[in-house]
């Protein structure tokens, strides 16, 4: 299963706070797709995922200042 979290327009640390909350609502092995435009989150989201033991399965820049990251819950 996949869940999408849209946090466009939110400044850090809110994308990370929202992601931490959202990943709690999905099952192990499911994916959380986060769409964001906060440049600080380009570092904080993958770092948090790695530290928490989750796997980043996709990470790409969609536009000048928009990104998507897919995190599979451990």
């Amino acid at each position: 299963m996949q869940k999408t979290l849209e946090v466009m327009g939110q400044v850090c640390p809110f994308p990370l706070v929202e992601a931490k909350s959202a990943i709690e609502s999905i099952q192990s092995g499911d994916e959380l797709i986060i769409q964001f435009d906060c440049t600080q989150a380009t570092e904080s989201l993958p770092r948090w995922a790695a530290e928490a033991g989750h796997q980043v399965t996709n990470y790409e820049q969609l536009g000048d200042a928009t990104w998507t990251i897919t995190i599979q819950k451990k």
Side-chain angles (χ1 to χ4, degrees):
M1 186 186 102
Q2 291 184 329
K3 178 176 182 165
T4 300
L5 177 64
E6 152 75 67
V7 289
M8 296 290 194
Q10 294 188 18
V11 295
C12 288
F14 296 106
L16 180 57
V17 170
E18 294 285 332
K20 286 180 177 181
S21 176
I23 207 150
E24 292 299 320
S25 70
I26 63 175
Q27 301 296 315
S28 179
D30 289 349
E31 292 183 320
L32 177 64
I33 302 166
I34 308 165
Q35 298 173 345
F36 63 99
D37 59 0
C38 172
T39 56
Q40 289 175 307
T42 61
E43 295 180 9
S44 63
L45 287 172
R47 182 174 52 239
W48 157 71
E51 289 172 356
H54 307 304
Q55 181 178 354
V56 175
T57 58
N58 184 50
Y59 185 35
E60 60 185 297
Q61 187 167 356
L62 302 175
D64 289 341
T66 56
W67 295 268
T68 184
I69 186 170
T70 303
I71 299 170
Q72 185 176 40
K73 185 173 181 177
K74 67 175 180 179

